[in-house]
Amino acid sequence: MEISHSLGILSLNRNIDENVGFLLTNKKGSYCSFYNAPSSRYQGLFYFDEKTMDMYKFIENIEVVNNNNISMLKNGFYFIERRKEEVIETFTMPSGFNSLIYELNSNNEISLFLDCKASTDNREWGRHYDIFEEKGCIIVKFTKKTDRREESSDSVEEFILYLAIKSDKNAYSKIDRWIERHYSYDKERKSPPYERYVYDALGLGGTKFVFSMSKNKNDAIKECEYIFNNIHEIKNKEKENFLNLLKNESIKKISGNGKISREIKIAYINAFNSLNNLALVNKDNYGIFAGLPWFFQFWARDALISLKALSKIDVDLAKRLLFGYLNDINNEGRLPNLMGKHESFKLGNADAHGWLFLRCKEAIEKINKNKDIINSIKKSMNLIKQNSKLAKIKDSLKKYNLIMHKKENEYHKTLYEMESSLEKSINGLLKHHTKAGFEVNDKLETWMDTEFENDSRSGIRLEIQALRLSMYKLMFEITQNQKYKVFENILKMKVKDKFWNEKILADGLNDFTIRPNIFIAAYAYPELLTYKEWEACFENALKKLWLDWGGLSTIDKNNPLFTEASTGEDTKSYHRGDSWFWINNMGALTLNHINKNKFKKQIQKIIEASTEEILWKGCVGCHAELSSA
């Protein structure tokens, strides 16, 4: 099939032979993701309940009757088109609405397959569908009840979901049968169950369809009616929003650079767009999903790593998140691991606070630059005031002075709030998570948060020390309190003494396993080694970690725990071989910083691998979490 990325003169296309799909979100947490053929329980149309932070699946698949051979997928960034012989499907998921707009270029009949459930719930029994008409819409009412065949109670109602459907023909027939799906991707990922019965609910006719989701029937009907009556205006608004995104300075800097290939430019815009679509923004519930479809929670570590990039997209949201996390620092100096329902909720988090300090450092640098600009303007204003006798000019200068004074007060308040929160963090860490001057973590508390054969990274870990060093450095810069400079110098000396053997940095105290965490350390605290020492460290590490396709293994390829092929939900390979794209690209950043000429080949290869993955693999236009080594 052909994949195309449609961006006017920047468009690209390629023929591929893979089961690929797409992902659209509504910036409220809901999303739709369909593939050539249903291959996972996590594909379909999903609804995010912002109050409870639960994710629910509604639609399993939409199929054009007698015509499901996809020959083309067009990524329009804010919409998706698919060609099936003469039929063209268009998918749009408008921002701020829990609805999907589905359109065909000609009158056809479609089959609607449903699998209403909580996203991670795989129970088969107790699923009840009712289909009826109300207020010009077709309503699907789904009721989930307990069932004695799978649990201790029977017929206890758990939740109700409503799907409101409207089409231009309003022609439909009830199919009302159950069919078995076989999910090949879930089997490949070792994510059971690999088979599941889904509900073949309806046959629908027409060219325009709206599917609206809610836990409240009237809300679903109201939204469905509104969107159906305003499809043209709503789609135009989505286009306008995306065109405004393209005007972003970061995008213009890349797209206007003649030295950068078209492929890299389009991959960059896709990455930019994807991060934007993972952000949720409303008054009470805001954050960044760690990743869809599995990680629909707000993970502190992921959010703070992403915050620098997010600030280029939505500076207000980035600021809200930064101060939200500053307020979340607990008495131990740490941040909660995540917000939302996930089995990792109770795990401690050993590095999010360090990332918070790094992002505060960047914010403070911007504030100081702005303060310098204000001081420069004030000097110029004083000169004008001294050399002018006109009352109008003096009145204007007085007004501008007030504005400057207000801005200076804002900066002063911001810096004070940051200093107070960061000091609380360091004091808590010194009391609860420090031993012999080192920061200590329990197992599964770093970003490598899985265990296999006692490999859990407990103890004194390299990147955690580097983040602590960057914390001390920032606190000295803010407060000029010499104790932080002393803390920094002592810890730096200890880390270099115990971790550096003139060839490689240890991954942990008394653990010289080679892992890519050296790149996090270099990113967080480049002062740990000299440039020459970093060069030697990276050269030696790359010999053990480098993957020819353009990635880094998460463990030395000669280590007995190294696993070449991904083991999916079985965590054996997760941090013992699997190559994580965020670490690969951070590696490229640090290699570029230390010696961009010496490491040019690896930097370019990493960029090419990410570009290839974003454009042509899996979920088209979105970056994967990881790859097999």
Side-chain angles (χ1 to χ4, degrees), residues 235-470:
K235 287 177 69 179
N236 278 343
K237 183 65 177 173
E238 292 301 299
K239 181 179 181 180
E240 183 186 333
N241 289 343
F242 179 67
L243 292 177
N244 284 333
L245 193 73
L246 290 181
K247 294 174 185 174
N248 186 285
E249 287 303 317
S250 297
I251 287 182
K252 288 199 293 186
K253 184 180 177 182
I254 298 296
S255 61
N257 189 328
K259 295 179 181 178
I260 297 174
S261 72
R262 181 184 300 187
E263 287 79 7
I264 291 171
K265 288 176 181 178
I266 295 177
Y268 180 87
I269 293 167
N270 271 303
F272 204 90
N273 190 50
S274 294
L275 180 57
N276 183 45
N277 288 333
L278 285 174
L280 279 70
V281 188
N282 67 30
K283 287 180 182 177
D284 304 316
N285 206 354
Y286 59 92
I288 315 172
F289 278 165
L292 292 170
W294 305 299
F295 301 114
F296 45 86
Q297 305 87 18
F298 303 147
W299 294 63
R301 175 187 300 116
D302 300 64
L304 289 162
I305 289 169
S306 306
L307 201 63
K308 185 175 181 179
L310 184 72
S311 68
K312 296 178 180 183
I313 301 171
D314 188 336
V315 68
D316 291 332
L317 175 59
K319 189 176 178 181
R320 284 178 74 189
L321 282 169
L322 186 72
F323 280 94
Y325 281 116
L326 282 168
N327 290 328
D328 285 341
I329 293 169
N330 62 29
N331 290 331
E332 292 189 6
R334 287 179 162 193
L335 290 167
N337 198 30
L338 62 93
M339 297 294 291
K341 295 172 184 175
H342 191 275
E343 60 189 14
S344 297
F345 177 78
K346 292 179 182 176
L347 283 182
N349 190 314
D351 53 6
H353 50 271
W355 284 102
L356 177 60
F357 269 70
L358 278 180
R359 298 308 171 222
C360 284
K361 179 186 174 214
E362 290 153 2
I364 289 165
E365 284 170 354
K366 286 181 183 176
I367 287 172
N368 287 335
K369 279 182 183 177
N370 290 338
K371 284 167 73 177
D372 288 342
I373 292 167
I374 286 174
N375 288 332
S376 178
I377 292 169
K378 282 167 76 174
K379 283 179 184 176
S380 300
M381 285 166 59
N382 283 333
L383 283 172
I384 294 167
K385 188 178 178 181
Q386 288 167 16
N387 294 295
S388 176
K389 295 177 181 178
L390 292 173
K392 273 189 179 180
I393 291 176
K394 287 185 176 181
D395 286 344
S396 295
L397 291 172
K398 191 175 180 181
K399 192 189 298 179
Y400 294 140
N401 254 322
L402 287 171
I403 294 168
M404 301 286 182
H405 186 65
K406 185 181 177 185
K407 205 69 188 169
E408 284 177 318
N409 283 342
E410 281 179 25
Y411 291 147
H412 181 75
K413 182 172 178 284
T414 298
L415 290 170
Y416 176 76
E417 287 177 16
M418 282 188 183
E419 183 184 332
S420 300
S421 296
L422 299 179
E423 198 161 34
K424 178 184 176 182
S425 179
I426 284 185
N427 289 339
L429 293 168
L430 287 168
K431 186 176 179 181
H432 297 281
H433 298 284
T434 305
K435 187 177 180 181
F438 293 109
E439 184 160 342
V440 185
N441 58 267
D442 288 336
K443 66 178 186 177
L444 312 183
E445 290 189 338
T446 72
W447 82 271
M448 289 184 164
D449 57 357
T450 61
E451 185 173 16
F452 183 77
E453 292 189 3
N454 297 318
D455 177 44
S456 63
R457 296 195 82 233
S458 61
I460 296 166
R461 291 290 149 184
L462 173 65
E463 79 278 16
I464 306 302
Q465 312 316 308
L467 288 164
R468 175 71 77 91
L469 282 163
S470 72

Side-chain angles (χ1 to χ4, degrees), residues 174-186:
K174 293 183 184 179
I175 307 299
D176 188 28
R177 65 175 180 175
W178 294 84
I179 64 161
E180 189 177 28
R181 289 283 200 218
H182 297 270
Y183 294 121
S184 59
Y185 183 52
D186 291 344

Side-chain angles (χ1 to χ4, degrees), residues 19 35 39-40 43 182-191 294:
N19 178 28
Y35 278 62
S39 50
S40 172
Q43 294 162 8
H182 297 270
Y183 294 121
S184 59
Y185 183 52
D186 291 344
K187 189 171 186 178
E188 187 184 332
R189 287 186 60 247
K190 299 180 177 63
S191 173
W294 305 299

Side-chain angles (χ1 to χ4, degrees), residues 57-59 112-116 128-134 137-143 160-166 172-174 199-204 210-218 220-221 224:
K57 185 173 183 178
F58 273 72
I59 295 176
L112 185 69
F113 297 87
L114 303 176
D115 188 13
C116 295
H128 304 276
Y129 292 92
D130 295 303
I131 300 171
F132 52 92
E133 286 187 74
E134 190 170 319
C137 291
I138 304 159
I139 308 297
V140 178
K141 178 186 178 183
F142 173 78
T143 307
I160 296 173
L161 302 173
Y162 290 95
L163 179 68
I165 307 164
K166 196 170 180 65
Y172 75 98
S173 57
K174 293 183 184 179
Y199 187 55
D200 185 356
L202 291 163
L204 299 162
V210 173
F211 303 95
S212 298
M213 308 170 284
S214 182
K215 285 184 172 179
N216 180 286
K217 181 180 67 175
N218 290 331
I221 292 170
C224 188

Side-chain angles (χ1 to χ4, degrees), residues 32-285:
C32 80
S33 183
F34 294 105
Y35 278 62
N36 298 0
S39 50
S40 172
R41 307 184 308 280
Y42 295 97
Q43 294 162 8
L45 179 65
F46 289 76
Y47 163 77
F48 184 66
D49 184 334
E50 293 176 271
K51 292 179 182 176
T52 64
M53 293 190 76
D54 287 314
M55 187 74 80
Y56 296 95
K57 185 173 183 178
F58 273 72
I59 295 176
E60 194 261 357
N61 202 25
I62 302 169
E63 297 180 8
V64 179
V65 174
N66 300 321
N67 192 346
N68 271 297
N69 294 318
I70 299 168
S71 59
M72 185 272 288
L73 187 153
K74 174 182 174 182
N75 172 23
F77 294 83
Y78 62 94
F79 70 94
I80 295 291
E81 277 185 10
R82 296 196 305 191
R83 181 180 286 276
K84 297 176 175 178
E85 294 178 6
E86 299 305 312
V87 178
I88 297 174
E89 304 171 292
T90 306
F91 299 82
T92 310
M93 199 164 189
S95 300
F97 297 99
N98 286 306
S99 297
L100 172 67
I101 300 169
Y102 175 76
E103 298 169 284
L104 301 170
N105 65 330
S106 59
N107 189 44
N108 276 275
E109 187 178 345
I110 62 171
S111 295
L112 185 69
F113 297 87
L114 303 176
D115 188 13
C116 295
K117 67 188 190 87
S119 181
T120 56
D121 183 5
N122 298 310
R123 290 173 297 169
E124 291 273 12
W125 301 100
R127 298 184 283 163
H128 304 276
Y129 292 92
D130 295 303
I131 300 171
F132 52 92
E133 286 187 74
E134 190 170 319
K135 297 179 182 177
C137 291
I138 304 159
I139 308 297
V140 178
K141 178 186 178 183
F142 173 78
T143 307
K144 178 68 182 85
K145 296 180 180 179
T146 59
D147 191 288
R148 194 164 281 122
R149 283 167 287 193
E150 286 178 307
E151 48 218 312
S152 57
S153 62
D154 196 57
S155 297
V156 176
E157 185 181 292
E158 293 185 1
F159 59 85
I160 296 173
L161 302 173
Y162 290 95
L163 179 68
I165 307 164
K166 196 170 180 65
S167 73
D168 52 349
K169 297 292 181 185
N170 255 6
Y172 75 98
S173 57
K174 293 183 184 179
I175 307 299
D176 188 28
R177 65 175 180 175
W178 294 84
I179 64 161
E180 189 177 28
R181 289 283 200 218
H182 297 270
Y183 294 121
S184 59
Y185 183 52
D186 291 344
K187 189 171 186 178
E188 187 184 332
R189 287 186 60 247
K190 299 180 177 63
S191 173
Y194 313 134
E195 296 86 24
R196 182 172 172 81
Y197 278 90
V198 300
Y199 187 55
D200 185 356
L202 291 163
L204 299 162
T207 61
K208 285 184 172 61
F209 306 84
V210 173
F211 303 95
S212 298
M213 308 170 284
S214 182
K215 285 184 172 179
N216 180 286
K217 181 180 67 175
N218 290 331
D219 288 348
I221 292 170
K222 187 178 176 182
E223 182 167 301
C224 188
E225 186 77 28
Y226 174 80
I227 289 179
F228 189 83
N229 292 333
N230 296 278
I231 285 178
H232 184 70
E233 293 83 355
I234 287 168
K235 287 177 69 179
N236 278 343
K237 183 65 177 173
E238 292 301 299
K239 181 179 181 180
E240 183 186 333
N241 289 343
F242 179 67
L243 292 177
N244 284 333
L245 193 73
L246 290 181
K247 294 174 185 174
N248 186 285
E249 287 303 317
S250 297
I251 287 182
K252 288 199 293 186
K253 184 180 177 182
I254 298 296
S255 61
N257 189 328
K259 295 179 181 178
I260 297 174
S261 72
R262 181 184 300 187
E263 287 79 7
I264 291 171
K265 288 176 181 178
I266 295 177
Y268 180 87
I269 293 167
N270 271 303
F272 204 90
N273 190 50
S274 294
L275 180 57
N276 183 45
N277 288 333
L278 285 174
L280 279 70
V281 188
N282 67 30
K283 287 180 182 177
D284 304 316
N285 206 354

